[in-house]
């Protein structure tokens, strides 16, 4: 299951690497994971995370997937910093860690709170991410 999730992430992540508007692209991937995906997928992620604390093999796999996702975001953010597309106050690794915490919070809330309205929360999350990344607006000629 974890390997399947990694492959699914790779497919969704590809759109981020070529996006001209990173905030819109992050919004789309966030809505896909946190709004559109069925709740049972989030519950399964929570179950895998819990099992990873009891089973060393599951823990190794779970942490490898988490590490992969974080490294993808760190590399993307670093490339965007290098290309002067974002000007964050944090370095790329720190941004990726914060990004993971935000994502984990959305996953958890969606999994355990049947009244949680992820769609209503997404604008605030996207606004927070925009403030973290500080995208550089392209000059209009």
């Amino acid at each position: 299951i974890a390997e399947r999730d990694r492959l699914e992430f790779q497919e969704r992540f590809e759109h981020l690497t070529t996006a001209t508007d990173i905030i819109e692209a992050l919004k789309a991937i966030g809505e896909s994971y946190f709004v559109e995906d069925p709740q049972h997928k989030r519950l399964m992620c929570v179950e895998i995370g819990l099992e990873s604390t009891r089973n060393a093999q599951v823990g190794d796999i779970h942490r490898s997937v988490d590490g992969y996702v974080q490294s993808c975001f760190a590399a993307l953010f670093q490339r965007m910093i290098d290309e002067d597309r974002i000007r964050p106050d944090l370095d790329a690794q720190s941004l990726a860690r914060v990004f993971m915490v935000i994502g984990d919070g959305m996953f958890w809330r969606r999994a355990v709170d049947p009244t949680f309205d992820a769609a209503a929360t997404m604008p605030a999350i996207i606004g927070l991410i925009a403030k973290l990344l500080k995208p550089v607006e392209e000059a209009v000629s």
Side-chain angles (χ1 to χ4, degrees):
I1 293 170
E3 193 56 39
R4 182 203 65 208
D5 287 347
R6 181 196 313 247
L7 293 172
E8 182 181 291
F9 171 78
Q10 282 177 315
E11 289 175 15
R12 291 179 179 184
F13 189 78
E14 283 300 313
H15 298 290
L16 291 177
T17 62
T18 59
T20 55
D21 184 336
I22 188 62
I23 300 303
E24 279 303 309
L26 288 169
K27 178 182 173 190
I29 198 172
E31 287 175 346
S32 175
Y33 273 110
F34 306 126
V35 177
E36 297 163 10
D37 276 0
Q39 186 192 24
H40 73 271
K41 287 183 82 171
R42 302 303 60 108
L43 290 170
M44 188 173 301
C45 288
V46 169
E47 289 289 337
I48 292 169
L50 289 172
E51 184 61 22
S52 77
T53 67
R54 298 183 289 262
N55 180 315
Q57 253 184 327
V58 174
D60 289 344
I61 294 167
H62 183 262
R63 283 185 298 281
S64 78
V65 171
D66 248 20
Y68 173 76
V69 171
Q70 185 170 326
S71 69
C72 285
F73 278 111
L76 173 67
F77 296 150
Q78 187 60 58
R79 190 182 89 225
M80 294 183 76
I81 290 168
D82 294 345
E83 294 171 355
D84 199 34
R85 293 180 56 204
I86 60 173
R87 293 183 188 148
D89 294 330
L90 301 172
D91 62 89
Q93 289 292 335
S94 297
L95 278 173
R97 280 192 299 275
V98 169
F99 205 77
M100 295 292 288
V101 169
I102 292 168
D104 288 347
M106 288 291 285
F107 262 65
W108 177 260
R109 188 57 39 207
R110 174 100 191 278
V112 302
D113 183 353
T115 66
F116 179 64
D117 186 348
T121 306
M122 282 303 295
I125 295 295
I126 295 303
L128 176 65
I129 288 169
K131 287 179 181 179
L132 282 168
L133 296 180
K134 297 183 177 181
V136 175
E137 292 188 32
E138 292 190 35
V140 178
S141 29

